[in-house]
Amino acid sequence: MEIIKTENLTYTYPIGKSPAFSEVSITINKGEFVLLTGPSGCGKTTLCRCFNGLIPHFYSGKLEGEITVAGMNVTEHPIYEFAQHVGLVFQNPENQLFALSVEKDVAFGLENLGLPREEIRERVDWALEVTGIIDLRDRAPYELSGGQQQRVAIASVLAMKPEVIVLDEPTSFLDPLSAKKIFEVISGLNRNFGITIILVEHRLDLAARYADRIIVMNDGRIILDGEPREVFNSEEARVVGVGIPRATQLYQILKRRGLDLGSVPITSDEASKMVRKVLTHLAPSKGFPTNYEVSTPVLSTERRESKPTIQVEDVYYTYPNGVEALRGVSLKVSEGEFVAIMGQNGAGKTTLVKHFNGLLKPTKGRVLIDGVETGSVSVARLARKVGFVFQNPDHQLFCETVEKEVAFALRNFGFDEETTRKRVDWALNILDLTEYRRVSPFMLSGGERKRVALASVLAWDPKILILDEPTIGQDYRQKERLMNFIMQLNAQGKTVIIVTHDIEFVAECKPRVILMAEGKILADGEPHRILTDPNLLERASLTPPEASQILMGLEDLGFDGRAIEVYEVSKLLLERLKVNSGVETP
Amino acid sequence: MSMFDGFKFRRVSSPIHRLDPRVKFLYVCVMFGVAVLFIQLIPLLVLFLIQLPLIIVARVQREWVRSMKGSVLFAVMIFVMNAVSLYFYGGFESIVPVIERSLAVTIRFLVLIESFSIFFLTTSPDHLGLALEQSGVPYDICFAFTTAVRFVPVLAEEAQTIIDAQRARGLELEKGNFVSRVRKYIPILIPLIVSAIRRSLELAEAMESRAWGATAKRTNLYVLKMSRGDYYLLAASVLMLAFSLYVWFYVPIPSLSDLIPS
């Protein structure tokens, strides 16, 4: 039975020149779990806003075509009528919780409906129970982690007992373990209560396994709609730049090299099973050497021997409110190194890097930048050497044009006009922003604003570049671009430090990894060692990269799992195959 | 450390926290009235001391001590200013009554801080919003109030992040003369305002999606009900007011200097 049906739906925002999406015709049936994906700006979020009447009632603009939700024509009924049928969960957990306690927040919608108090109480308790946050009922939203906040948001719409729950990139701000929990909660709602789920996501590795159906949008149109395996394995998905799950990528690589796994896997478990089958099938009687030496790809670590540019010596930091954010951190970063600082929110990552440009001074211990103690110089002096790009570009953009924005720091540092002009031109050029130089930064898309923020820091050519959570809210293509850019900067000799919990991004960049938890360094070293140690990662609320999870499922066959991305895995498998079958693979 | 530490709500489970905010508010008003009524040292000292058990019962003594410490500077200023002006213009012949009077004014200030901090330390903003709602204030206003309270810490944190982001781009807030310093706040204010607007839009969207305005007759998950403790406090406050008025009208209050044999 259909619950949402659109026919030739086209919508243009009041300020938009072209439609945000056009001629969308879809039918979503009751009980389906639909994954909606596509590059940033493709119209996914806008489409979701139609499902509960935010468009056209809250946003005006021009809506053409037909849309019915739960049997009601969206244009003819007010938003609050849809609230009982369709629940919307948004990207930023912070901006959808209004009340001062969890319980009160979950009750908000029910109170608005004017339900009897006893029924509200009952439904609130039920929703808290189902989402697993009953213990948090009296807490204030700001005391919760992002993952907990997002579960409160889900409980809040769940309490309205909707038939459909639409989630718009609910895990963007979360670490992999919290994201996984969110997906498990919504998958449970789908299975146990038959609630239709529409999930907008970029993180397909984690989300794909729960979906029955995938819809891919690009440029305001639906380009693919079907069963996950088919969609991921299609040529269009690759061209558009959808984040195809690593397991599927491995399948494709192996196939290109002449090894067919039979069917398309979308999770690491499936891939492990299929590989196992192929390996045993090709060499059924031989048995497997358990002491087989797997050649681990060797990374150059020589760089670290060159002279240190950042020295952190037994640093403690306590915030004025008494929170101990760093508890005895020591590390050295050499010139030209590429470092990823990883760990869960609240592990002290951002606090640590804020010491590198003097924004924070240690409570105890000391930090030296090129031999100079940070306590003795101003932030402005240190900033010349250490560029810091903050997570959210909106926290720094304020000028009327992109050009002025990029020149802002140069003026602060007292560069002359001629140099400023040259540097601005250079920075705009390398970040592909030249065409926007006279445009207001506020008119640009999220990805473009992020690039302006990066350009405004790169302009003064700092020796050390720090990027705080650079991949948050970025789609697959943007991440790929960012990765290439960072690698290029690093190759040119810049010291680059990224703070992130995006494990796949790190697995592909392969920097030195520093793992933090509770204000201390858990591990520091080569990514192949750290990212493949599940126990270590769990303490930092991370999970191993998909690729190494595939190998971990084959541990008994002698693979030690020390590969972190699909190319490494495919290489190991093909090598093994050669040994087992004695057959040369092309 | 500041005297405002004593005004931030602390979530503790105590009999005082469970009291009806309306009654607590009445109590604060009575304390305020009585403290203003008297100018003599002895009754003000009594007012100061009789509130201490409440603080202990509410288990907020640490926050209270902090706010008292934070008030020291103000208290000293009040004392000195009163003493100086009374000494020169008050027409007193000796120094003792001057000191006594100034001390009384200072204690009065501390009594006010004390009673307000009992109220704010033990009353959650949620309860306060509820009290407003049940006192007939329109829901829109109550909602605006609790939401504002909810976002104070969020915005404070955001402002700090913006300051950090601009300092990382070489902005030096503490340099220059007054005019140029004020101008330096533009790079902080604009992102803060833009992000607040963005945030409010998102909030509005989330509110709409959760049936905001579906019915004029909204229910509330909680109801305030007067319990036994509330009636006790109510009675105590009324008695306190009556007793104070009686004393004020009929009982001559000795000053401290009269009690000390000279």
Side-chain angles (χ1 to χ4, degrees):
Chain A
M1 203 183 82
E2 66 189 43
I3 184 91
I4 294 177
K5 190 176 167 72
T6 75
E7 230 167 292
N8 289 322
L9 201 65
T10 302
Y11 175 72
T12 316
Y13 278 105
I15 49 159
K17 288 191 192 80
S18 55
F21 60 76
S22 28
E23 284 160 43
V24 170
S25 301
I26 42 168
T27 306
I28 289 167
N29 291 317
K30 238 184 150 115
E32 267 189 309
F33 192 129
V34 181
L35 194 57
L36 179 58
T37 191
S40 297
C42 71
K44 316 180 286 278
T45 298
T46 311
L47 184 60
C48 288
R49 284 177 179 147
C50 297
F51 294 155
N52 76 337
L54 280 173
I55 289 174
H57 302 295
F58 183 73
Y59 293 90
S60 38
K62 208 167 81 181
L63 186 69
E64 291 161 286
E66 286 295 312
I67 171 164
T68 29
V69 174
M72 296 186 285
N73 188 325
V74 170
T75 48
E76 287 163 10
H77 295 261
I79 303 172
Y80 59 76
E81 278 184 35
F82 288 101
Q84 296 162 71
H85 299 283
V86 183
L88 245 66
V89 175
F90 302 89
Q91 185 175 18
N92 190 344
E94 211 166 56
N95 293 345
Q96 45 188 323
L97 307 180
F98 329 99
L100 297 151
S101 75
V102 166
E103 185 175 79
K104 185 87 172 112
D105 209 286
V106 175
F108 181 77
L110 305 172
E111 292 179 337
N112 286 335
L113 293 175
L115 296 181
R117 187 160 299 117
E118 301 69 47
E119 191 178 347
I120 295 183
R121 168 55 61 201
E122 214 170 274
R123 286 210 203 176
V124 166
D125 288 350
W126 173 75
L128 289 172
E129 191 73 57
V130 169
T131 47
I133 47 172
I134 193 102
D135 297 336
L136 307 176
R137 61 189 318 155
D138 291 322
R139 302 272 288 277
Y142 63 85
E143 297 173 330
L144 306 179
S145 71
Q148 289 170 331
Q149 287 183 347
Q150 206 57 288
R151 275 197 274 169
V152 175
I154 293 174
S156 306
V157 300
L158 182 64
M160 316 265 283
K161 302 214 166 149
E163 288 126 281
V164 186
I165 296 183
V166 182
L167 305 101
D168 190 3
E169 298 188 41
T171 68
S172 309
F173 294 97
L174 309 183
D175 57 61
L177 223 51
S178 312
K180 208 174 146 202
K181 267 187 210 146
I182 296 287
F183 293 142
E184 273 162 13
V185 166
I186 50 184
S187 155
L189 298 180
N190 177 252
R191 272 181 288 113
N192 303 331
F193 306 105
I195 297 174
T196 311
I197 302 286
I198 300 174
L199 173 64
V200 178
E201 254 311 322
H202 289 307
R203 267 178 162 156
L204 302 182
D205 278 306
L206 290 174
R209 70 192 63 182
Y210 304 107
D212 312 314
R213 174 176 165 193
I214 296 198
I215 298 176
V216 181
M217 287 182 75
N218 190 29
D219 265 343
R221 282 172 199 277
I222 289 181
I223 54 161
L224 286 167
D225 180 353
E227 205 270 332
R229 281 159 228 278
E230 274 167 41
V231 170
F232 287 138
N233 200 31
S234 71
E235 184 61 16
E236 290 100 312
R238 205 179 55 78
V239 173
V240 171
V242 169
I244 299 169
R246 267 64 185 184
T248 313
Q249 282 182 28
L250 179 69
Y251 165 86
Q252 290 168 338
I253 295 167
L254 291 176
K255 191 159 189 190
R256 255 177 275 144
R257 303 287 301 272
L259 177 66
D260 195 343
L261 290 181
S263 59
V264 186
I266 52 175
T267 68
S268 53
D269 286 355
E270 287 174 3
S272 297
K273 277 192 195 119
M274 290 173 187
V275 169
R276 177 185 298 274
K277 219 165 155 190
V278 171
L279 285 178
T280 39
H281 176 72
L282 284 180
S285 56
K286 271 188 183 168
F288 299 100
T290 44
N291 55 353
Y292 178 74
E293 273 298 312
V294 181
S295 62
T296 324
V298 183
L299 261 201
S300 67
T301 44
E302 287 90 72
R303 267 195 199 159
R304 219 172 295 168
E305 267 93 70
S306 72
K307 80 173 209 252
T309 178
I310 300 172
Q311 280 169 279
V312 180
E313 293 172 0
D314 200 27
V315 164
Y316 286 78
Y317 185 79
T318 309
Y319 280 100
N321 64 9
V323 174
E324 273 191 310
L326 296 179
R327 297 191 282 183
V329 170
S330 298
L331 67 103
K332 271 187 189 137
V333 177
S334 303
E335 234 162 75
E337 247 193 302
F338 179 16
V339 181
I341 300 178
M342 305 192 73
Q344 149 179 46
N345 296 339
K349 299 171 298 196
T350 304
T351 308
L352 175 63
V353 290
K354 278 186 177 170
H355 279 83
F356 297 167
N357 66 349
L359 281 172
L360 298 176
K361 317 274 184 195
T363 315
K364 216 176 97 191
R366 54 181 203 155
V367 176
L368 300 142
I369 304 295
D370 284 340
V372 180
E373 206 177 324
T374 55
S376 58
V377 274
S378 69
V379 176
R381 276 274 303 282
L382 283 165
R384 278 297 301 274
K385 265 187 194 155
V386 186
F388 197 131
V389 185
F390 277 68
Q391 180 187 57
N392 186 347
D394 297 333
H395 284 153
Q396 62 167 74
L397 302 181
F398 72 99
C399 294
E400 51 281 36
T401 65
V402 167
E403 190 174 42
K404 282 187 186 163
E405 196 67 60
V406 177
F408 173 69
L410 299 171
R411 300 232 155 84
N412 286 335
F413 291 135
F415 284 89
D416 59 63
E417 277 309 304
E418 176 62 18
T419 322
T420 303
R421 203 177 48 76
K422 268 192 199 151
R423 290 285 183 87
V424 169
D425 286 349
W426 172 78
L428 289 176
N429 185 34
I430 58 168
L431 280 154
D432 213 5
L433 290 165
T434 310
E435 58 175 314
Y436 300 123
R437 66 184 309 153
R438 296 200 205 293
V439 177
S440 159
F442 299 111
M443 300 301 290
L444 303 178
S445 74
E448 286 160 347
R449 289 206 297 275
K450 210 142 179 151
R451 259 151 56 212
V452 175
L454 183 54
S456 79
V457 172
L458 271 181
W460 77 82
D461 198 22
K463 216 174 113 182
I464 301 166
L465 184 68
I466 300 171
L467 300 147
D468 193 4
E469 296 288 2
T471 62
I472 279 189
Q474 302 282 293
D475 66 24
Y476 179 74
R477 272 285 146 78
Q478 288 166 332
K479 277 191 199 176
E480 209 175 46
R481 234 175 121 171
L482 180 74
M483 178 167 74
N484 291 335
F485 190 72
I486 292 176
M487 306 279 260
Q488 203 183 329
L489 286 175
N490 182 238
Q492 287 161 6
K494 216 175 268 307
T495 310
V496 180
I497 296 170
I498 59 173
V499 173
T500 184
H501 46 228
D502 190 331
I503 195 112
E504 302 292 345
F505 186 76
V506 173
E508 272 157 32
C509 295
K510 303 189 190 68
R512 164 184 169 197
V513 176
I514 295 175
L515 208 58
M516 290 186 72
E518 288 160 11
K520 286 183 190 153
I521 292 183
L522 273 186
D524 177 356
E526 215 259 331
H528 290 87
R529 178 173 68 81
I530 294 173
L531 299 188
T532 56
D533 186 337
N535 298 329
L536 204 57
L537 290 171
E538 205 185 315
R539 285 164 66 195
S541 197
L542 296 169
T543 49
E546 286 294 309
S548 54
Q549 283 188 34
I550 296 175
L551 281 193
M552 279 170 200
L554 300 167
E555 234 158 14
D556 56 313
L557 300 186
F559 292 105
D560 68 352
R562 292 226 173 162
I564 52 179
E565 45 103 357
V566 278
Y567 283 94
E568 291 174 355
V569 174
S570 70
K571 215 174 124 201
L572 285 179
L573 291 178
L574 291 169
E575 251 169 54
R576 166 61 76 86
L577 218 55
K578 227 160 42 183
V579 175
N580 277 353
S581 57
V583 183
E584 219 26 67
T585 40
Chain B
M1 195 187 337
S2 99
M3 65 185 198
F4 295 111
D5 281 356
F7 296 152
K8 271 188 226 146
F9 171 63
R10 235 180 76 69
R11 199 178 291 279
V12 189
S13 169
S14 85
I16 308 290
H17 283 72
R18 280 191 289 273
L19 288 173
D20 191 309
R22 292 169 296 186
V23 179
K24 267 191 270 186
F25 188 68
L26 181 82
Y27 159 79
V28 172
C29 292
V30 167
M31 284 312 274
F32 186 90
V34 174
V36 173
L37 202 61
F38 292 103
I39 189 66
Q40 295 87 347
L41 184 57
I42 291 173
L44 284 166
L45 260 178
V46 171
L47 281 183
F48 185 77
L49 294 176
I50 56 166
Q51 293 194 83
L52 291 179
L54 287 183
I55 290 164
I56 309 280
V57 173
R59 291 193 289 144
V60 288
Q61 52 278 40
R62 271 180 49 211
E63 290 74 21
W64 176 76
V65 167
R66 249 197 272 168
S67 85
M68 282 293 130
K69 277 191 191 158
S71 321
V72 163
L73 184 69
F74 264 98
V76 169
M77 265 165 57
I78 289 171
F79 179 78
V80 170
M81 276 162 68
N82 271 286
V84 168
S85 58
L86 284 173
Y87 184 75
F88 288 109
Y89 309 104
F92 289 96
E93 279 131 34
S94 75
I95 190 93
V96 179
V98 169
I99 291 186
E100 189 177 332
R101 177 64 63 85
S102 314
L103 212 56
V105 175
T106 312
I107 298 286
R108 179 194 278 167
F109 163 74
L110 292 179
V111 167
L112 296 183
I113 294 281
E114 189 184 32
S115 43
F116 275 106
S117 80
I118 290 179
F119 180 73
F120 284 108
L121 275 173
T122 64
T123 309
S124 81
D126 237 354
H127 255 106
L128 209 57
L130 198 59
L132 286 177
E133 216 177 308
Q134 292 193 6
S135 314
V137 178
Y139 179 70
D140 292 10
I141 294 173
C142 305
F143 180 77
F145 168 77
T146 48
T147 313
V149 173
R150 145 94 177 90
F151 279 96
V152 165
V154 177
L155 285 180
E157 201 179 307
E158 182 152 55
Q160 190 54 51
T161 309
I162 293 170
I163 291 174
D164 281 350
Q166 304 299 32
R167 286 177 74 204
R169 296 206 295 166
L171 183 73
E172 289 180 283
L173 289 171
E174 41 312 287
K175 262 195 182 168
N177 59 23
F178 181 72
V179 178
S180 71
R181 266 204 227 181
V182 170
R183 285 184 54 137
K184 279 181 177 164
Y185 275 90
I186 293 173
I188 289 157
L189 283 176
I190 292 179
L192 196 59
I193 293 167
V194 169
S195 123
I197 292 172
R198 233 173 234 167
R199 198 186 284 283
S200 59
L201 199 68
E202 277 181 36
L203 268 174
E205 218 177 355
M207 280 164 64
E208 291 280 350
S209 304
R210 274 157 68 188
W212 173 261
T215 160
K217 276 196 72 110
R218 215 178 162 274
T219 0
N220 200 313
L221 177 61
Y222 307 124
V223 255
L224 290 175
K225 266 210 208 105
M226 299 269 287
S227 64
R228 203 191 298 167
D230 295 312
Y231 289 112
Y232 287 155
L233 184 65
L234 187 65
S237 307
V238 173
L239 280 176
M240 170 87 137
L241 187 64
F243 179 69
S244 307
L245 286 172
Y246 172 77
V247 169
W248 192 73
F249 279 116
Y250 302 109
V251 183
I253 301 165
S255 78
L256 210 56
S257 43
D258 296 339
L259 296 179
I260 304 165
S262 49

